[in-house]
Amino acid sequence: MKGRPVADTADPAAPDGADGDPSGPVLAIRNLTIGYGTGAPSVRGVDLSVRSGEIVGLIGESGSGKSSVALGCLGLLPKAAEVTADELTICGTDVLAADERTLTRMRGDSVAMVFQDAMGALDPSMRIGNQIAEVVTRHRGVKRAEARAVVRELLDKVGVPEPDRRARQYPHQLSGGLRQRAAVALALAGDPALLLADEPTTALDVTVQAGILELFRTVRDEFGVGIVLISHDIGVIAQTADRVAVMLDGEIVEHGGVEEVLLEPKTEYTRMLLRSVPHLDRPRDEPESRPVAGKPLYVVDDVSRTYRSRGRLIHAVQGVSLDVREGEVLGVVGESGSGKSTLAKMLVHLERPDSGRLTMSEPGHRAGGSGGGRAGRLRRRVQMVFQHPAGSLNPRLRVGTSVREPLAASDTGAKAAAERVREVLREVGLPEDSAARLPDEFSGGQKQRIAIARAIVGDPRVVVLDEPTSALDVSVQAQVLDLLSKIQRAENLTYVFISHDLAVVRAISDRVAVMYAGRLVELADAASLFEAPAHWYTRELLAAMPSPDPRDRPERPERRPRAGQAESGQAESGQGEEAAAPAGCAFASRCPAAEDNCRTVRPEPVELEPGRVVACHHPAGMEGR
Ligand code: SF4
């Protein structure tokens, strides 16, 4: 193989096409190179082999070439791509020599793909059952009447509850998790030997993700399908793959058994990747000098926000009360529809609460004040950093102008403003000449640094960060988290840090609030919450987080949410917040500890012990306290 040397950990199970397996690998790639025109190839000298009934993980950061390899296998790269290989076969078919008809038959018969966005794979105008039946009849030679039974069996096998009813539904009527299960059923409809799954769980909540990863293990074990699982998430790979290949700049730099690669990495790049991964059991780094969280600075008192959509009431946030303390990082976690982003918008006055109050410990501050004067100044005391920095930066404005914007309404003079912009750009680790450049000249991580500079330039007291690292590669994420911690200490800032990723929240937070279906269900200091969660939803969230340590693989069934459990517990639209407020606990249908009173009496948040608030009739681990 050309290019970088590959660290190949001793792995007797690694198939090479001549290992005594009479059927040979379902996917065999030798020296695959993909290039475009005169530039350097985007994929170079890749060797990869997958056997029936095994999952091979492909990890690497964005731009490493993982997805190009998958698309190259399917013959789906753009026409301009120049693809060469000493061998590229799927179930013995030479992909590079095949004509379009052979490739079309191969896609579905021998190989199928599952994408991040299940909606892209499913036809929105066709019932789920009909879509799957069409593939079954085409690829299995089954008559239409018999196909219905196959569809039912497939939906049942991939964990779609009530398969007959779901088969009659359209894709938009399913939640995100059920939609991804339906997409897997569609991929399996042609009875393929190989499945290429490209970031199949990236768009899903962690509890739903756990069910889909379980499904991939089932597909491997029960259907004997060989799977290439592409993911940027090392936890996903650690908990699912049998072997792993690590890609960097278009090349595989290391491959071997999952335990060898992730526990004893041979290359510095893999070691760096693993070092960057946040861990649930790795708390915030606490230097001696860090100020202890102080008195309440921003008080959220019984705040609610309801929307009306297509005649339905959406209870986005319901009666949430909490205090944000001076100098702390308050993490807020919950799945999509939990209300955490609506809460964030109210904190920065992008949304007004219907009822309740948000009060900053500064006379006269009330949420939703007018734009100018004192109220405007107080508003600037709370700033926000979004998940996608590109959305908050005008692509036509120079970085310096964008960063200076929040100062425009203040009485800062032009000279002082320019000096402050230079200062914050230095603080976020960007060169001074960044001010004169346009946002497009920066990488994703650098753009997020610009967004942070813009948020802190006006000297706010509170910064609300809404999934600020979710769109970043793991190594860049680690750098941005480190930067945020340093800035918080240097400027004595208070953060509200919102994320679906509990390990990221653990890495930065002092206290953590957990939201479910628009309500606060648990609030505690980070150590107590992560080490002894009291609310059953918090426990489910923590159990569902895929550990980056392959020794934590889910041999024990209690670590795994049952197939379809988390998905079917949500409203079919996938928005937990859209469920009408039930009389009892909103989590009751998913809770392993639910009793009769949980279904009739709503649990209110109660301070069970100093600093720990839990909304649960039967909190875990609290017996005898
Ligand atoms: S109130 Fe009942 S259903 Fe809700 S989390 Fe507690 S035990 Fe479970």
Side-chain angles (χ1 to χ4, degrees):
M1 200 176 107
K2 297 169 201 144
R4 279 191 191 88
V6 179
D8 186 359
T9 49
D11 178 23
D16 58 12
D19 57 359
D21 180 351
S23 58
V26 288
L27 171 67
I29 302 176
R30 266 192 305 122
N31 198 21
L32 172 69
T33 295
I34 301 171
Y36 294 89
T38 52
S42 58
V43 170
R44 286 187 296 276
V46 161
D47 293 352
L48 193 70
S49 183
V50 182
R51 192 159 38 193
S52 295
E54 73 164 350
I55 299 177
V56 176
L58 205 51
I59 54 177
E61 302 193 279
S62 41
S64 61
K66 317 183 289 289
S67 297
S68 295
V69 169
L71 292 173
C73 292
L74 288 164
L76 287 177
L77 285 166
K79 281 204 167 20
E82 291 155 20
V83 186
T84 60
D86 294 342
E87 181 181 12
L88 176 50
T89 58
I90 291 178
C91 299
T93 300
D94 185 339
V95 176
L96 296 184
D99 57 23
E100 198 49 47
R101 228 175 109 202
T102 310
L103 285 176
T104 305
R105 202 176 55 240
M106 185 190 79
R107 296 180 207 125
D109 261 0
S110 313
V111 58
M113 192 144 183
V114 178
F115 297 93
Q116 177 176 336
D117 176 17
M119 265 317 225
L122 297 165
D123 182 340
S125 64
M126 217 173 153
R127 292 179 202 276
I128 298 285
N130 289 348
Q131 297 188 45
I132 299 172
E134 198 175 279
V135 180
V136 167
T137 47
R138 191 169 353 119
H139 289 280
R140 297 195 188 195
V142 172
K143 291 212 172 63
R144 190 83 193 173
E146 296 158 28
R148 220 171 125 186
V150 180
V151 170
R152 191 187 188 291
E153 190 189 334
L154 274 171
L155 286 174
D156 189 44
K157 279 245 165 78
V158 300
V160 172
E162 305 174 81
D164 290 323
R165 183 167 79 87
R166 300 296 184 178
R168 290 192 298 274
Q169 291 185 317
Y170 291 92
H172 74 270
Q173 293 176 291
L174 302 186
S175 68
L178 287 183
R179 223 159 28 219
Q180 194 58 293
R181 286 179 186 274
V184 173
L186 182 68
L188 294 175
D191 203 12
L194 175 68
L195 207 58
L196 302 172
D198 192 358
E199 302 278 0
T201 60
T202 302
L204 303 176
D205 283 316
V206 64
T207 48
V208 178
Q209 169 176 273
I212 298 293
L213 295 183
E214 171 74 33
L215 171 60
F216 279 109
R217 289 188 285 265
T218 305
V219 168
R220 171 194 62 190
D221 299 339
E222 289 187 17
F223 292 74
V225 173
I227 300 173
V228 178
L229 180 60
I230 297 170
S231 181
H232 71 284
D233 186 332
I234 290 175
V236 163
I237 297 295
Q239 296 306 304
T240 317
D242 302 300
R243 291 189 297 119
V244 184
V246 183
M247 286 196 77
L248 168 66
D249 294 340
E251 296 179 346
I252 290 179
V253 292
E254 178 157 8
H255 62 77
V258 66
E259 295 214 353
E260 286 106 313
V261 172
L262 299 188
L263 298 179
E264 296 164 31
K266 298 281 186 291
T267 63
E268 181 46 37
Y269 178 68
T270 311
R271 280 195 284 274
M272 183 280 294
L273 268 188
L274 293 170
R275 267 198 311 273
S276 303
V277 177
H279 286 241
L280 274 182
D281 55 3
R282 237 180 250 165
R284 179 172 185 175
D285 211 3
E286 289 277 5
E288 291 288 310
S289 58
R290 187 159 188 278
V292 179
K295 58 184 186 305
L297 169 66
Y298 200 7
V299 177
V300 178
D301 183 17
D302 200 17
V303 161
S304 295
R305 180 78 170 100
T306 303
Y307 304 102
R308 187 171 284 282
S309 172
R310 290 189 216 142
R312 292 181 68 199
L313 276 185
I314 301 170
H315 303 276
V317 171
Q318 303 177 70
V320 168
S321 296
L322 52 84
D323 59 316
V324 184
R325 297 178 188 164
E326 189 155 19
E328 77 167 345
V329 180
L330 175 69
V332 181
V333 298
E335 57 201 37
S336 48
S338 63
K340 56 190 192 311
S341 288
T342 304
L343 178 65
K345 285 182 197 146
M346 289 193 286
L347 287 171
V348 293
H349 316 312
L350 287 174
E351 297 268 352
R352 279 169 185 270
D354 301 325
S355 59
R357 296 199 321 179
L358 295 121
T359 315
M360 188 166 287
S361 65
E362 195 162 3
H365 181 262
R366 290 282 184 275
S370 64
R374 183 178 182 75
R377 184 172 65 78
L378 290 168
R379 269 186 182 193
R380 288 191 297 279
R381 293 301 199 192
V382 189
Q383 288 290 327
M384 187 153 183
V385 174
F386 297 90
Q387 177 176 352
H388 296 289
S392 56
L393 297 173
N394 184 335
R396 284 191 284 272
L397 281 189
R398 303 215 174 266
V399 164
T401 312
S402 281
V403 171
R404 195 170 52 231
E405 234 171 24
L407 296 176
S410 71
D411 48 13
T412 314
K415 206 169 153 203
E419 177 48 39
R420 177 66 180 149
V421 168
R422 276 197 294 277
E423 188 183 43
V424 290
L425 285 175
R426 268 198 308 274
E427 200 168 351
V428 299
L430 289 173
E432 281 195 19
D433 68 352
S434 306
R437 291 156 64 191
L438 291 168
D440 272 356
E441 297 173 49
F442 295 87
S443 68
Q446 288 171 324
K447 281 194 189 114
Q448 199 56 299
R449 286 172 189 263
I450 297 168
I452 293 166
R454 188 182 141 97
I456 63 171
V457 73
D459 212 8
R461 298 186 74 186
V462 178
V463 180
V464 178
L465 302 122
D466 192 4
E467 304 273 6
T469 61
S470 300
L472 304 177
D473 281 322
V474 66
S475 60
V476 183
Q477 168 176 275
Q479 292 161 13
V480 171
L481 286 174
D482 194 41
L483 171 72
L484 285 169
S485 278
K486 280 193 186 125
I487 291 174
Q488 193 230 350
R489 287 173 197 135
E491 307 248 345
N492 193 26
L493 279 169
T494 300
Y495 287 164
V496 177
F497 190 99
I498 292 166
S499 180
H500 71 285
D501 187 330
L502 281 91
V504 167
V505 166
R506 175 98 221 235
I508 195 164
S509 303
D510 301 302
R511 291 192 306 148
V512 179
V514 183
M515 290 189 68
Y516 181 76
R519 293 181 184 278
L520 177 76
V521 296
E522 185 160 7
L523 173 65
D525 68 85
S528 308
L529 189 122
F530 282 96
E531 282 154 28
H535 196 280
W536 294 93
Y537 173 61
T538 314
R539 291 171 72 95
E540 185 182 305
L541 272 183
L542 291 173
M545 274 297 289
S547 161
D549 187 334
R551 289 167 300 189
D552 295 337
R553 287 167 89 100
E555 257 74 58
R556 289 164 294 140
E558 69 269 22
R559 272 185 57 85
R560 309 192 299 240
R562 286 190 300 279
Q565 181 189 34
E567 297 101 298
S568 53
Q570 294 179 359
E572 290 184 358
S573 63
Q575 297 293 301
E577 66 190 26
E578 289 194 10
C585 174
F587 190 61
S589 65
R590 289 166 63 175
C591 181
E595 295 189 18
D596 287 350
N597 62 338
C598 300
R599 295 183 183 88
T600 51
V601 183
R602 178 181 306 133
E604 296 299 336
V606 173
E607 187 160 20
L608 288 187
E609 50 187 38
R612 175 178 283 231
V613 173
V614 183
C616 174
H617 294 309
H618 313 286
M622 289 289 155
E623 306 82 8
R625 288 202 195 187

